């Protein structure tokens, strides 16, 4: 009556839930990292973790596939880098060039807390990184490859 039937495909509650169910894990005991602008680090469980320690550590319980729970923590992914590149515009170097340059510098000379709330909003990320370092009496690098993103 309406033509050829179309197949209906259901997906997970979120794109990450669909990605987690597609992980080629062999058995129930595995962890995952879903990395992009923001990264998610977690594991798939049969039930939520509702402890005070879990909440204090900023873990969440999200709906998974087939009644599972994705127990995870959001961490800063490529947000700072992507925002810097957006700010630099046409003068931005390709990511592979930045990574190569970063590999050549003294390790951990400039360490920032990428999860500091000052870095959440968009716009002028290079300026906010420089201000963050300056407010702590740390030298501000002239070369953006010298700023390393490290969790505190």
């Amino acid at each position: 009556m309406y033509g050829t039937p179309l197949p209906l495909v259901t997906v997970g509650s979120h794109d990450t839930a669909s990605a987690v169910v597609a992980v080629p894990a062999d058995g129930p005991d595995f962890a995952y990292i879903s990395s992009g602008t923001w990264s998610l680090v977690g594991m798939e469980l049969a039930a939520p973790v509702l402890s005070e320690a879990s909440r204090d550590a900023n873990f969440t319980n999200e709906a998974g596939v087939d009644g599972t729970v994705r127990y995870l923590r959001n961490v800063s992914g490529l947000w700072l880098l992507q925002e810097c590149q957006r700010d630099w515009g046409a003068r931005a170097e390709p990511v592979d060039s930045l990574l190569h340059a970063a590999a050549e510098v003294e390790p951990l000379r400039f360490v920032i807390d990428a999860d500091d709330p000052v870095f959440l909003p968009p716009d002028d990320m290079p300026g906010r990184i420089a201000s963050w370092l300056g407010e702590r009496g740390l030298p501000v690098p002239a070369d953006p490859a010298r700023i390393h993103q490290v969790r505190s």
Side-chain angles (χ1 to χ4, degrees):
M1 170 168 156
Y2 293 104
T4 306
L6 296 175
L8 176 64
V9 178
T10 59
V11 298
S13 60
H14 184 272
D15 58 348
T16 305
S18 294
V20 170
V21 79
V23 170
D26 192 18
D29 297 325
F30 70 93
Y32 61 86
I33 300 172
S34 176
S35 190
T37 300
W38 301 103
S39 293
L40 306 170
V41 179
M43 51 195 314
E44 196 171 40
L45 303 174
V49 177
L50 303 174
S51 69
E52 189 73 25
S54 176
R55 187 173 63 223
D56 288 346
N58 292 320
F59 277 82
T60 64
N61 295 282
E62 299 180 2
V65 173
D66 293 334
T68 62
V69 173
R70 289 179 298 111
Y71 180 63
L72 59 92
R73 186 169 194 277
N74 291 306
V75 296
S76 182
L78 300 172
W79 172 249
L80 275 67
L81 175 59
Q82 290 171 343
E83 279 298 295
C84 284
Q85 286 188 297
R86 189 166 66 90
D87 188 73
W88 296 328
R91 66 190 203 300
E93 291 187 46
V95 172
D96 59 340
S97 296
L98 287 171
L99 293 176
H100 179 71
E104 300 296 320
V105 300
E106 178 185 340
L108 303 179
R109 184 166 172 215
F110 303 97
V111 179
I112 62 172
D113 177 2
D115 287 331
D116 188 305
V118 74
F119 301 123
L120 287 175
D123 299 323
D124 192 25
M125 190 62 72
R128 278 190 275 132
I129 291 171
S131 293
W132 191 93
L133 289 166
E135 289 167 5
R136 287 154 181 79
L138 300 169
V140 178
D143 180 355
R146 294 184 177 273
I147 299 173
H148 299 272
Q149 179 176 309
V150 177
R151 294 204 41 80
S152 62

